[in-house]
Amino acid sequence: MQLLGNFKIILLYIAGEAACIYREIAGNLGIPEAALETFCPIEIIDAGLRTLIVPIATLDDEIHMFPDEQQVKAFCIHNDIDIVLVCSREVDEQNHIAHARVFAPRFGYLEDPATGSGNSALGYYMLKNGLWNGAYASIEQGGADRIYNVVKLSLLHERVLFGRSATTRISGVYYL
């Protein structure tokens, strides 16, 4: 385990076990192993939520993933993972540094359309792997069925900050 700021990075790319891990993750996401990017490792970043970061080789492979919610949920529960963030260095708009999707079936839904905590974990991952220098940047998030959301990242005093404006999808008073 390695510490970066206050966030834990747990390496999953272990010599001799990498092929097994790649096969298991690809199978649970419902994608071929060839869709996984091997340039950077698959890792868990704990930025408040244990986030499995899975690099995908192409934007097309990433946005056309349709994993089974119950299968991903069982995989997450079995491996003590809160969310799975898949990402590609290929982007739809060139002013963005990555494209991401976040699967969160442990929280009762398959995909989160804009995820601050997940993109914060991605920011730490990208810093660690030399894919981002900490300068103000944008990450696009979403699948092929909608307009992408944009999450902004910056680095301040070794902490990844995230934000952007949001659209109200539902409002009201909730009684529990």
Side-chain angles (χ1 to χ4, degrees):
M1 183 171 22
Q2 180 179 356
L3 290 176
L4 178 65
N6 290 329
F7 295 83
K8 292 180 268 184
I9 298 172
I10 303 162
L11 301 179
L12 288 180
Y13 190 79
I14 302 168
E17 295 182 18
C20 179
I21 291 168
Y22 275 66
R23 189 174 314 113
E24 180 181 0
I25 290 170
N28 281 286
L29 290 174
I31 59 173
E33 282 182 70
L36 298 174
E37 172 68 71
T38 57
F39 176 74
C40 289
I42 293 172
E43 295 177 345
I44 293 176
I45 308 290
D46 189 336
L49 294 176
R50 287 178 53 88
T51 304
L52 178 66
I53 307 285
V54 181
I56 303 297
T58 70
L59 178 62
D60 192 57
D61 285 339
E62 185 212 313
I63 64 174
H64 291 100
M65 292 175 61
F66 300 101
D68 177 85
E69 182 175 354
Q70 293 308 312
Q71 186 171 356
V72 176
K73 181 177 182 177
F75 171 77
C76 288
I77 290 169
H78 179 75
N79 291 286
D80 192 26
I81 295 167
D82 293 316
I83 60 176
V84 177
L85 184 145
V86 296
C87 58
S88 173
R89 293 180 296 149
E90 287 186 10
V91 291
D92 189 53
E93 295 183 27
Q94 295 308 310
N95 58 329
H96 300 146
I97 62 169
H99 190 285
R101 292 179 68 192
V102 174
F103 301 110
R106 285 188 80 164
F107 297 99
Y109 52 92
L110 177 60
E111 187 169 359
D112 193 336
T115 313
S117 58
N119 282 296
S120 178
L122 179 57
Y124 281 101
Y125 174 89
M126 294 178 77
L127 282 168
K128 178 190 172 292
N129 289 293
L131 302 172
W132 177 48
N133 64 6
Y136 188 73
S138 301
I139 294 175
E140 52 193 41
Q141 182 177 336
D145 61 339
R146 63 184 165 278
I147 297 171
Y148 306 130
N149 291 296
V150 177
V151 177
K152 301 290 186 174
L153 295 182
S154 62
L155 186 67
L156 180 65
H157 307 299
E158 294 189 13
R159 296 190 187 276
V160 173
L161 306 176
F162 58 87
R164 183 65 196 249
S165 60
T167 301
T168 302
R169 301 283 184 198
I170 186 170
S171 66
V173 178
Y174 302 93
Y175 299 95
L176 302 175

